[in-house]
Amino acid sequence: MEKIVIASASMTKFTDHYDKDIRHLASEVIASTTLPLNLSPKDIDALVIGSMASQLFTRQGNLGALIAQENYMYNASAFTVEAGEASGQAAVRAAYSLIKSGMHDYALVVGVEKVTDVLKLPKLQSIVGYVNMDSRYEVDMGLTLASMYAMMAKAHMKKFGTKREQIASVAVKNHFHGSLNPLAQYRNKLSVEKVLSSEIVASPLTLFDTCAAADGAAALLITTESKAKELTDEYVEIKASTLAHSPVRLADRENLYSIPSIKLAAEKAYEMANVTPDKIDVVEVHDSYTITEIIALEELGLFKRGEAGKATEEKQTYFNSSIPVNTSGGMKARGYPFGAAGVAQLVELYLQLLSKAGDRQVKDAELGLAQAVAGTGGTSVVHILSTV
Amino acid sequence: MSIADYWRLEAPRFRLEATKCEKCEKLYFPPKVVCPQCGNKELKKVEISGKGKLISFSRIDKPADEHTYVAPYYVGIIELEEGIRLSGSLVDLGDKEPEEGMKVEIAFRKYYPVGDEGVIYYGYKFRPLLMSLED
Amino acid sequence: MQTGIAGYGVYAPMNRITVDEIAGVWGEDGVSKSRGLNVFEKSVPDPDEDTITISVEAARIAMKMSRLAREKIGAVYVGSESHPFAVYPSAVHVAEALGVTPHVTAADLEFACKAGTAGMQMVFGLVAGNIIDAGIAIGADTSQGRPGDPLEYTAGAGGAAFVIGKDNLVAELEGTYSFTTDTPDFWRREGAMYPSHGSRFTGAPAYFRHVINAANGLMEKLGLTINDFDRASFHQPNGAFPLKAAKILGLPLEKIEDSLAVKYIGNTYSGASIVGFARQLDLAKPGERILLVSYGSGAGSDAFSFIVTDAIEDARKHGVPVDKMISRKRYINYATYARYRGKIRMK
């Protein structure tokens, strides 16, 4: 069977792009993804936009048509995929399906989010809550996504003896990786003390356990291997693309220290790719909160339950260690423009697998895994990429 | 949220009206219109106690827009006597921190007012036992 | 068949601010203020509490005590001068929260501090006239005093609810009588945040004239004398007025002292006389006779005579004592009070 590949990938810097609209961000990555292949946007027959809440952030819907218009892509089948915070990777999965089905030749995935038009944290908290949580039975009564992950962190600490410092060390590691990534929002290093002493958002999580607002876009060109070969010799294979769910309401879950949808999506992905977790060389996981990364690493089977915190503290997840995690800096340091961030996770794997990741290059990376989650686990998406 | 939406939610949020599938004996809160286990569409409306215990909690210092007017405040996950788990804000803690396992009951409170001229959304929150003398 | 009270409930928010704390802000002597008003502290609602939430809480306790099926409830009246909506009844919120809709009549009432007892009279009438089996009357307020105004020392938050019917009675109604005139001692125009008042004019021609005349009128109507009453609760705008009224009526002070919740939770306006009455019900022995006289500026007083039944001792086990509401508390300073009560200009 023909391999489905990523033939090109690019992203903008994730930061406050006050001078750019959502269409400008998208157009930039469309150009920087297609031009190196001598493709014109007009050659693209499918455009899949991953965006979480453009209607709420910038009062703009139907991004498929808008971005197609902006780039004269009137022949493309263009539409938006929304799956909360997992929108970016869900869009990748949709584009993958379009190629896999044989209906399209070139599918361009554009993850894009214009967040900083919303200037105030409380408004941002509100939008993130209403999009990703049960708005009627969680958000309306005052719960925030941060408070949910705060309770999950407490449960993890209680169940496994995970230390608060170990959770904070996720931010320290991701900021270190960010310092090596020129496109990262934050390139400063952090200390555990700094994380712990920053303002409380939802106890015990602090401001530095969370991500800041950022704008940005990221794009991937997905096609078949034979089509890719006509354009370039640099491409990576999509070995697996899976999506699964667990209850949106955290209260409906059996325990607070796990995210069942990640495990479900991961198991399907390992099966689809016919690999085992120990074969994975480089990982991009969802780190909207520091604890999210710890739980994700455990659900993905990369660490035993209760051991990811300690492993992070022991620097096992640095780019030059046994299991490199979020070498891009993750959502924490690379930046978190929701829909764009999920696509950027695959941009990072693309760079790593093609040995184009510069100072943060993982040695001999052949197999990469990316995972994204919406809210506390309503939706999880997993992709596995490999060199060819 | 629209007025009609608020109105639809009054029964569950004002008085914890749940639905029960009498075929499966399964209780649902939030209420459902179809039992996902057996497809039964004739679910019975029942009210649940509103008494339970606190499973976990967090203090929110940075709330969403709608709730800044009560910040800082605690939220938690509560397990009701009927076994149902739900999330809610915690009120009337005085100056004490909540504790896991603490017994709580529903309180009737404002969620938030819609601007200066819109309706006010009301519904359940949770507080340490006050009305339930038997405990 | 006798009509009366089948259940009662009181709710007061748990925040307290002391008279001393308020006095300190305005450079006044808190100790002498407290002594003069006979009020030490007052209750302050949380930002997410209002007359509707207080009414629901009080009514839930009253319903629980009454052990009446909700289908029996045919009326819900909420008396307040601080209804959260000018148009959109507090009463429908309460009825929906209690689950007594839709076969019920409901309305919001306003008569300064006596709207609660006005509602009780209406429900008594509906029950006595066999139009409904039972109904709920509530008096509740989250009243505001203008910063620096003498009212600020006493304007509290709280309320009381009564399930009135013919079954499971804890107190039987002997009779009620009202005394009403147009006396402009205290008012609030539509849209105004704080009420205005006539200072000393709120005393003799207003509070005392109406309370005394209502009490005397009731006694005359029922052929009773003041000595026939074992306990009393009068409207309590502060802790001093009801004591003075008792003195004028010749009622020994110890018969009214127990009603003075105002000392600890302030003047709960539409709730004030009936919160005091509920506390008397908490303490009364079967067979005792209780005099209740409300007062609402504008002005009028509703007087009631009740006889406590044997059932009260068992019924109390299903309610919540008023003292529990008074004793659960958290002290706040004036800054927090100002924030909670919207006294800080935000826009």
Side-chain angles (χ1 to χ4, degrees):
Chain A
M1 205 186 291
E2 175 121 74
K3 288 175 184 168
I4 310 297
V5 303
I6 297 173
S8 181
S10 74
M11 61 180 279
T12 66
K13 189 175 171 75
F14 286 177
T15 186
D16 305 317
H17 286 288
Y18 290 121
D19 56 340
K20 285 178 190 133
D21 190 358
I22 193 161
R23 70 193 79 189
H24 301 139
L25 294 166
S27 299
E28 272 189 28
V29 291
I30 289 174
S32 53
T33 306
T34 53
L35 290 179
L37 304 179
N38 293 315
L39 269 181
S40 153
K42 288 179 207 167
D43 301 326
I44 305 298
D45 60 350
L47 174 65
V48 184
I49 311 296
S51 190
M52 182 183 89
S54 65
Q55 288 99 332
L56 300 174
F57 287 135
T58 70
R59 299 172 71 95
Q60 178 65 61
N62 199 2
L63 293 180
L66 183 90
I67 292 164
Q69 168 201 277
E70 194 70 10
N71 297 282
Y72 298 161
M73 299 166 71
Y74 297 113
N75 256 328
S77 168
F79 56 88
T80 307
V81 172
E82 188 267 301
E85 291 176 283
S87 296
Q89 280 211 41
V92 175
R93 180 170 155 76
Y96 170 84
S97 310
L98 293 179
I99 300 301
K100 181 97 177 166
S101 72
M103 284 176 68
H104 291 271
D105 293 331
Y106 304 104
L108 193 61
V109 188
V110 176
V112 64
E113 208 81 54
K114 179 71 200 169
V115 179
T116 64
D117 284 357
V118 174
L119 294 170
K120 291 180 177 161
L121 179 63
K123 183 73 192 163
L124 193 59
Q125 292 259 37
S126 177
I127 292 173
V128 169
Y130 279 111
V131 171
N132 291 286
M133 299 162 63
D134 187 326
S135 57
R136 305 311 187 243
Y137 291 94
E138 289 180 336
V139 190
D140 271 352
M141 32 287 269
L143 289 102
T144 59
L145 189 53
S147 68
M148 294 301 197
Y149 274 107
M151 290 189 274
M152 293 165 80
K154 285 169 71 170
H156 204 275
M157 289 159 78
K158 189 176 171 185
K159 174 79 180 172
F160 303 111
T162 304
K163 294 191 173 59
R164 182 66 188 84
E165 293 76 11
Q166 294 171 344
I167 295 171
S169 66
V170 170
V172 175
K173 183 260 299 172
N174 288 349
H175 266 250
F176 172 73
H177 285 159
S179 75
L180 304 176
N181 181 357
L183 292 181
Q185 180 181 21
Y186 293 109
R187 308 202 59 199
N188 61 312
K189 290 178 190 161
L190 268 189
S191 64
V192 166
E193 294 69 39
K194 182 115 189 217
V195 176
L196 297 184
S197 63
S198 67
E199 274 186 283
I200 295 276
V201 172
S203 62
L205 299 181
T206 69
L207 207 54
F208 285 176
D209 285 299
T210 71
C211 297
D215 308 320
L220 308 171
L221 182 75
I222 297 178
T223 185
T224 58
E225 186 175 32
S226 52
K227 285 263 183 311
K229 274 183 175 161
E230 297 166 10
L231 304 167
T232 176
D233 17 309
E234 288 187 332
Y235 54 86
V236 301
E237 185 189 354
I238 302 179
K239 298 279 277 188
S241 173
T242 59
L243 192 150
H245 304 280
S246 38
V248 171
R249 278 190 304 279
L250 184 61
D252 282 15
R253 299 237 288 268
E254 262 174 44
N255 61 60
L256 303 182
Y257 53 77
S258 70
I259 301 178
S261 60
I262 300 179
K263 189 164 197 280
L264 211 54
E267 283 171 353
K268 288 199 281 183
Y270 292 131
E271 194 188 329
M272 189 172 172
N274 194 23
V275 297
T276 49
D278 56 296
K279 298 287 187 292
I280 305 289
D281 300 310
V282 55
V283 188
E284 284 282 307
V285 300
H286 201 99
D287 60 327
S288 52
Y289 299 92
T290 44
I291 181 67
T292 322
E293 175 166 322
I294 288 173
I295 294 175
L297 292 176
E298 294 171 3
E299 297 297 330
L300 291 169
L302 297 166
F303 292 95
K304 284 194 186 125
R305 279 243 164 89
E307 292 184 0
K310 187 162 170 276
T312 306
E313 189 180 39
E314 290 170 351
K315 302 199 171 188
Q316 291 180 40
T317 55
Y318 278 64
F319 81 101
N320 50 4
S321 308
S322 50
I323 305 178
V325 177
N326 286 335
T327 52
S328 64
M331 290 153 179
K332 176 80 192 90
R334 182 201 53 216
Y336 191 29
F338 306 94
V343 178
Q345 291 179 306
L346 279 87
V347 173
E348 178 69 11
L349 295 186
Y350 170 88
L351 295 173
Q352 290 286 357
L353 297 178
L354 294 175
S355 297
K356 293 164 88 170
D359 294 343
R360 62 187 191 282
Q361 180 62 48
V362 173
K363 203 163 162 270
D364 302 327
E366 291 179 356
L367 204 56
L369 180 148
Q371 165 272 330
V373 64
T376 58
T379 299
S380 286
V381 195
V382 170
H383 283 94
I384 295 175
L385 307 187
S386 79
T387 53
V388 286
Chain B
M1 188 165 51
S2 80
I3 310 256
D5 191 15
Y6 175 63
W7 173 77
R8 276 196 293 278
L9 290 161
E10 281 187 347
R13 299 209 305 202
F14 275 31
R15 54 176 192 268
L16 287 184
E17 192 176 278
T19 50
K20 188 171 185 181
C21 176
E22 287 182 313
K23 286 186 193 163
C24 302
E25 285 297 303
K26 182 118 170 91
L27 189 63
Y28 296 109
F29 188 90
K32 292 185 188 292
V33 292
V34 181
C35 175
Q37 293 196 133
C38 73
N40 180 9
K41 286 189 198 166
E42 310 294 319
L43 301 188
K44 193 183 162 203
K45 288 176 180 171
V46 290
E47 267 176 47
I48 43 187
S49 68
K51 273 170 62 185
K53 62 175 184 188
L54 189 61
I55 300 296
S56 186
F57 63 89
S58 172
R59 192 180 108 141
I60 295 185
D61 283 25
K62 309 279 181 201
D65 236 10
E66 295 80 1
H67 301 278
T68 48
Y69 83 110
V70 284
Y73 58 94
Y74 284 92
V75 294
I77 290 175
I78 290 92
E79 183 170 298
L80 297 178
E81 284 174 345
E82 293 84 356
I84 281 167
R85 284 189 179 196
L86 68 176
S87 299
S89 279
L90 305 173
V91 296
D92 286 356
L93 294 162
D95 292 318
K96 284 194 209 113
E97 275 231 359
E99 281 172 37
E100 284 178 19
M102 184 174 94
K103 289 187 175 172
V104 294
E105 65 185 19
I106 55 164
F108 189 83
R109 296 286 182 126
K110 282 194 268 191
Y111 288 157
Y112 57 91
V114 179
D116 289 336
E117 296 191 355
V119 296
I120 300 168
Y121 294 150
Y122 294 90
Y124 61 81
K125 293 186 180 179
F126 293 90
R127 67 175 167 231
L129 294 190
L130 173 68
M131 280 179 66
S132 318
L133 289 180
E134 48 274 27
D135 294 277
Chain C
M1 212 175 149
Q2 186 61 47
T3 62
I5 293 164
Y8 61 92
V10 163
Y11 181 85
M14 78 182 292
N15 302 303
R16 298 286 183 279
I17 185 166
T18 63
V19 166
D20 200 46
E21 170 75 13
I22 298 170
V25 172
W26 305 110
E28 302 216 49
D29 176 2
V31 176
S32 62
K33 274 280 169 207
S34 266
R35 198 183 301 128
L37 292 165
N38 196 20
V39 173
F40 305 102
E41 55 201 47
K42 67 170 191 175
S43 62
V44 179
D46 265 346
D48 62 351
E49 291 184 294
D50 63 16
T51 291
I52 288 175
T53 66
I54 290 168
S55 297
V56 169
E57 298 290 0
R60 278 182 175 161
I61 297 169
M63 277 299 288
K64 187 160 171 268
M65 185 194 267
S66 78
R67 282 163 291 165
L68 286 182
R70 67 177 65 162
E71 294 75 29
K72 291 269 181 191
I73 302 299
V76 176
Y77 293 118
V78 179
S80 179
E81 58 159 71
S82 53
H83 291 292
F85 293 88
V87 180
Y88 183 13
S90 301
V92 298
H93 289 82
V94 176
E96 204 63 66
L98 296 176
V100 301
T101 53
H103 306 293
V104 66
T105 180
D108 284 4
L109 307 173
E110 186 279 312
F111 193 146
C113 298
K114 83 160 193 80
T117 56
M120 290 170 72
Q121 287 181 328
M122 289 164 68
V123 179
F124 277 125
L126 290 170
V127 172
N130 293 312
I131 293 169
I132 58 173
D133 290 330
I136 300 172
I138 301 162
D141 262 305
T142 56
S143 301
Q144 289 267 34
R146 193 186 305 277
D149 187 283
L151 283 183
E152 194 183 21
Y153 292 108
T154 54
F162 296 86
V163 174
I164 290 164
K166 292 183 175 178
D167 299 321
N168 305 353
L169 298 185
V170 298
E172 295 177 349
L173 177 72
E174 268 197 305
T176 177
Y177 169 84
S178 296
F179 184 89
T180 308
T181 68
D182 185 331
T183 304
D185 61 323
F186 173 106
W187 62 91
R188 181 167 65 82
R189 290 264 295 275
E190 180 75 49
M193 185 166 175
Y194 301 113
S196 304
H197 58 86
S199 294
R200 282 171 59 83
F201 188 70
T202 59
Y207 178 88
F208 293 105
R209 179 180 174 218
H210 292 81
V211 168
I212 304 301
N213 276 302
N216 285 331
L218 179 75
M219 287 188 279
E220 196 178 320
K221 186 178 168 183
L222 299 179
L224 298 171
T225 71
I226 197 71
N227 296 323
D228 293 321
F229 290 97
D230 302 293
R231 296 173 175 274
S233 176
F234 300 159
H235 176 53
Q236 33 197 274
N238 52 55
F241 274 29
L243 293 178
K244 192 174 166 190
K247 211 166 168 184
I248 295 168
L249 284 166
L251 183 78
L253 297 188
E254 62 270 21
K255 290 188 177 179
I256 196 161
E257 182 63 38
D258 287 340
S259 75
L260 298 181
V262 64
K263 296 202 279 191
Y264 311 104
I265 60 172
N267 175 9
T268 53
Y269 285 59
S270 298
S273 61
I274 49 180
V275 168
F277 172 55
R279 188 155 192 281
Q280 293 288 29
L281 286 172
D282 275 351
L283 300 168
K285 292 184 186 69
E288 285 192 336
R289 181 180 276 120
I290 305 178
L291 173 64
L292 164 65
V293 187
S294 65
Y295 171 73
S297 290
S301 281
D302 302 325
F304 303 77
S305 176
F306 292 97
I307 294 180
V308 176
T309 72
D310 293 342
I312 198 160
E313 291 180 329
D314 187 51
R316 276 182 200 134
K317 293 176 200 156
H318 302 279
V320 180
V322 178
D323 280 356
K324 193 165 173 184
M325 289 294 168
I326 291 175
S327 61
R328 62 162 208 155
K329 57 187 171 182
R330 164 208 182 205
Y331 286 101
I332 57 173
N333 60 22
Y334 194 90
T336 302
Y337 163 73
R339 180 190 158 194
Y340 281 10
R341 299 304 281 136
K343 292 171 194 290
I344 299 173
R345 190 172 171 156
M346 307 283 280
K347 55 190 158 198

